[in-house]
Amino acid sequence: MSEQTHPLAPHHMPFFISGPDGSDTLMVVMGIFLVAMLLWVGTLYWKLHSLPERMAHRTHKLQVEVVAVLGLISLFTHMHIFWIAGLLLAMIDLPDFVTPIRRIAGSVERIAEATPGAPPADEKVETTVVQADGHGARQQAAAKQEAHSHA
């Protein structure tokens, strides 16, 4: 086996022609480039796909779970309308209806537990003897103020 080129071959061959030993440098370089690009594009895809969920989580939205479920549905079904819906839902601020309703329910419960004309069970009413200099009136006013601050 001779390392010489064929007599009919040109004297200067381009770099992409493999040598007589069978090694193909261009194929090895392109294989490494293809694997690197595949990993980079896959990472970019995952980052882009999780964008609505990260947006909703970063801004502490109430609908984070709904956005996450829409992202998973779009990932597994390849229907991009779910991803768009999740993105739009992550951008919209939904009003918080739950907190005012809970506050109203708590107030109604407190009102329902109180009986008319009787002091509440958890508050202590201190009776003081009013002295001539008026110290007893100040103590009683302070006790009433403390009782009202708990409600």
Side-chain angles (χ1 to χ4, degrees):
M1 295 214 152
S2 172
E3 292 291 328
Q4 295 178 354
T5 58
H6 193 273
L8 295 177
H11 295 293
H12 176 69
M13 293 217 222
F15 72 96
F16 55 85
I17 302 291
S18 61
D21 59 348
S23 64
D24 193 357
T25 311
L26 183 63
M27 184 184 75
V28 171
V29 170
M30 288 308 295
I32 292 171
F33 177 75
L34 180 67
V35 168
M37 287 303 292
L38 187 66
L39 290 173
W40 180 73
V41 168
T43 304
L44 181 68
Y45 175 76
W46 288 112
K47 287 270 193 192
L48 182 66
H49 187 75
S50 67
L51 179 69
E53 186 177 357
R54 287 186 289 132
M55 285 174 55
H57 185 69
R58 184 175 44 239
T59 56
H60 305 291
K61 304 272 183 171
L62 296 172
Q63 62 269 24
V64 175
E65 291 86 10
V66 176
V67 172
V69 168
L70 285 172
L72 285 175
I73 290 172
S74 71
L75 176 68
F76 292 127
T77 61
H78 298 289
M79 295 179 68
H80 304 298
I81 191 70
F82 293 115
W83 186 86
I84 294 169
L87 183 65
L88 291 176
L89 196 57
M91 289 181 172
I92 295 173
D93 286 329
L94 293 180
D96 183 18
F97 293 115
V98 176
T99 303
I101 291 174
R102 284 187 183 158
R103 291 180 65 200
I104 291 169
S107 298
V108 169
E109 284 178 3
R110 271 188 260 127
I111 291 170
E113 289 174 0
T115 57
D122 60 344
E123 296 178 10
K124 292 182 180 179
V125 177
E126 296 181 16
T127 58
T128 58
V129 177
V130 178
Q131 298 174 354
D133 60 353
H135 289 296
R138 274 187 267 155
Q139 290 174 352
Q140 190 175 10
K144 284 184 180 178
Q145 179 65 28
E146 183 180 272
H148 287 290
S149 68
H150 291 295

